[in-house]
Amino acid sequence: MTKFDEATQAIRVDDTTYDVCLDDGYSIGGPLNGGYLMAAMLRAVVDASPHAHPVSTSAQFLRVARPGPARVLLEQLKTGRTAAMTRARLVQDGESFIEALVTTATLNGEAAPDWADGPSAVMPDLADCVRLPQPKPQSNMNFSTQMELVFDPPTIGWLTGAPTGRPESRAYFRLAEPQDPDPYVLALAVDALPPVVFSAGARGWAPTVELTWHLRALPAPGWLTLIGGGRLISDGWFDEEVEVWDSAGRLVAQSRQIARLGRG
């Protein structure tokens, strides 16, 4: 079992209840990363489902979850031969922190697409990309130590006061501990980039309010490519869309979220 598998482990209590222990290693200056929290919830949902893969997840982030014990409570809404629908809640001390609707199905790992579009942006070679500086130990930015993100240089121009002026972020991604990507790693990946509004000049913590993502195919081993962008920044809100491509050049995940502009 890898560190990520252990950090997202869901232990069955009964048919509708799972215990999880939220790991401080996935904190971003205090709050826990939303993709990490979804991955832990999806472990419980899939374990309770007759189907093997979370193909669609829509999560509402109600409160900021903290490290430590929590529970995932499930309500089975529909179970069919090709898909099942589940309502899942992440609960700490009797309060709901995330509410999610999840559709599970069983994907064919050998399936070839009937039609496929290409990436919305072209990434430079890995050797021409750059890493962010290591955060200061006292910053509690533990999340960055769990993965490798290697960025398309223009999309982190905000580090040196030269943002592109467009909401965008692009990087190669893999876990710091060697592990082939799977649907739970993809749940982490769709929320792993810095907020795209950094490249538009915004700064500060930008809390996700709602995030929906779709598992489109089972990923091949190797680096993932994350391509993030936004369409509108207005009235204190912004949207963010992320494409995840695997090492075989297949679109394996898509996400869209709405979030609040950064707080200092």
Side-chain angles (χ1 to χ4, degrees):
M1 180 180 290
T2 67
K3 291 180 181 177
F4 176 72
D5 290 341
E6 185 175 359
T8 56
Q9 186 178 22
I11 299 173
R12 185 180 183 275
V13 177
D14 57 41
D15 289 348
T16 61
T17 308
Y18 285 76
D19 282 340
V20 296
C21 187
L22 303 180
D23 192 330
D24 183 56
Y26 295 84
S27 63
I28 307 174
L32 291 165
N33 172 261
Y36 161 69
L37 296 172
M38 289 193 300
M41 295 177 71
L42 291 174
R43 295 274 191 194
V45 171
V46 171
D47 185 78
S49 171
H51 302 292
H53 305 121
V55 297
S56 180
T57 302
S58 180
Q60 300 277 345
F61 293 82
L62 309 178
R63 297 175 179 85
V64 177
R66 61 188 181 278
R71 282 195 157 177
V72 180
L73 306 181
L74 307 179
E75 179 186 353
Q76 304 299 338
L77 302 178
K78 176 187 175 182
T79 302
R81 289 183 297 174
T82 59
M85 289 76 173
T86 305
R87 178 178 288 117
R89 291 192 297 138
L90 181 70
V91 175
Q92 286 184 313
D93 296 330
E95 283 193 305
S96 293
F97 283 73
I98 300 176
E99 297 259 3
L101 292 175
V102 183
T103 299
T104 51
T106 301
L107 299 182
N108 177 2
E110 305 299 322
D114 297 317
W115 182 87
D117 199 2
S120 60
V122 178
M123 283 285 287
D125 291 340
L126 184 63
D128 296 323
C129 293
V130 295
R131 290 172 166 81
L132 292 176
Q134 287 297 313
K136 297 177 181 179
Q138 64 269 26
S139 67
N140 200 28
M141 295 291 288
N142 302 329
F143 182 64
S144 62
T145 67
Q146 306 299 327
M147 66 200 68
E148 293 184 69
L149 281 170
V150 190
F151 290 87
D152 187 359
T155 68
I156 55 169
W158 46 268
L159 271 176
T160 56
T164 64
R166 299 183 301 274
E168 58 185 354
S169 187
R170 296 185 291 273
Y172 294 102
F173 167 97
R174 67 181 179 185
L175 293 182
E177 181 182 14
Q179 177 175 347
D180 289 340
D182 60 18
Y184 309 105
V185 173
L186 293 180
L188 183 72
V190 297
D191 198 36
L193 290 169
V196 295
V197 289
F198 283 10
S199 282
R203 298 301 292 268
W205 178 50
T208 300
V209 176
E210 191 273 347
L211 189 154
T212 294
W213 78 279
H214 305 302
L215 172 65
R216 303 308 312 277
L218 301 180
W223 286 91
L224 299 171
T225 300
L226 313 183
I227 299 175
R231 301 295 298 276
L232 179 66
I233 305 169
S234 177
D235 196 24
W237 295 85
F238 72 96
D239 61 272
E240 179 173 311
E241 298 181 2
V242 175
E243 304 167 11
V244 184
W245 299 79
D246 72 359
S247 61
R250 298 178 305 161
L251 179 66
V252 292
Q254 299 165 280
S255 72
R256 173 179 286 178
Q257 65 172 281
I258 190 165
R260 295 291 293 165
L261 279 177
R263 305 173 185 176

